[in-house]
Amino acid sequence: MNFSLSEEQKLIKQAAKDFAKQQLLPTILERDELQKFPKEEIEKLSELGFMGMMVAPEFGGSGLDTLSYVLAMEEISKVDASTSVIMSVNNSLVCWGLEKFGNQDQKEKYLKPLASGKKIGAFCLSEPEAGSDATSQKTTAIDQGDHYLLNGTKNWITNGSSASTYLVMAQTDVAKGHKGINTFIVEKDSPGFTVGPKENKLGIRSSDTHTLIFDQVKVPKENRIGADGFGFTFAMKTLSGGRIGIAAQALGIAAGAYELALDYAKQREAFGKPIGGHQAVAFKLAQMHTKIEAARQLVYKAAWEKDQGLNYDLSSAMAKLNASEVAMWASVEAVQIFGGNGFVKEYHVERLMRDAKITQIYEGTSEIQQLVISRAILQE
Ligand code: CAA
């Protein structure tokens, strides 16, 4: 077993850490307060090659492994989980799916600008009545010969207004259930496509989350991904990798909250000594450090399995379930260590606590992860 990072992975981690400190930290409080999308920050992230990290260079990506992507996600999420979800959706839900399952023309036309960060992508599976129950798609795509006519509404879509390219799941044959679902590439300027209201969220407030409306949108036949009926498998396989990205995000939130709390515990004095000198705080830090390190091992192992070409459905679900629970718990503990200051925005830990909550919900709730895990282990 080798637990060390390669020189390249260490460089990626350091680059992400520096970027988070220099480019994200100075603007995060204002962006969180105003729900402002990090447009310039994402442009700079693209220059680093972080919007298409795992995509082959021939399609505009950085050609890195999943572990490098996880390291970057972790460092960026320590400071700004809004920026990291934008990055995660583009990398693992949009670029990865297009590279793995798209055809050459689709990769040339759509993947290249997405992987280089010139454009941003969105993954549109959830609907008002199909969140966890993703097979219950109500959006339809009716075959009209040379095109499909798309009708329906998608909900809680990350990058909803900032994206230019949307991967949309829709039912082409209701009688076939999930085998009648297809995934389509939809361009933003398609007539009949409207970006609906923006959600006013508890956390990751600097990312843009929208309802999307499709009203008689013409989608060319060549924009369907894979064979007829492949759309649900596409969504599930893509989400399996996406969950590694969100697990890394959760890990970063937990580690970010812990690092802030550790520094604070060394500086803040009460009863004549630094609060870290009191067992009540010291033991909290010991628990946080241990649980975060354990979460890190599960996340890195899922990334390693993916890079080895192994099946990672189970490990990605376990990594996400565990890391998101640790993120929620550790960020609450961090607020407690900060006391009154923890309740104040300038100290950052209350934001990390608000951001942590979504990691237990999106890309499959903790309950869905337990469903995936229990089904897998009971089948073994
Ligand atoms: N890979 C390939 N195929 C898979 C799969 C996987 N990982 N998981 C399931 N499938 C297949 C099954 O084999 C089955 O196909 P067959 O009938 O041919 O065998 C089909 O998918 C349906 O699976 P189930 O019978 O298990 O269906 P179910 O309804 O009982 O459960 C579910 C499905 C696992 C609950 C699924 O609906 C699910 O994952 N739900 C959560 C959805 C989700 O994660 N949404 C996130 C939205 S995107 C987002 O959040 C992005 C963002 O903004 C950050």
Side-chain angles (χ1 to χ4, degrees), residues 85 89 93 123 125-126 131-135 156-158 178-179 232-233 236-237 239-240 243 246 313 362-365 368 371-372 375:
V85 71
V89 166
L93 294 188
F123 181 86
L125 175 68
S126 303
S132 290
D133 186 8
T135 57
W156 312 296
I157 304 302
T158 303
H178 68 80
K179 291 190 169 74
F232 193 72
T233 307
M236 289 296 104
K237 283 189 180 289
L239 275 168
S240 232
R243 287 167 186 164
I246 298 304
D313 294 340
Y362 58 21
E363 298 202 24
T365 60
I368 289 295
L371 185 80
V372 171
R375 283 180 180 175

Side-chain angles (χ1 to χ4, degrees), residues 114-133:
L114 289 165
S116 61
K118 288 195 182 76
K119 290 188 175 174
I120 296 176
F123 181 86
C124 313
L125 175 68
S126 303
E127 298 186 357
E129 289 168 63
S132 290
D133 186 8

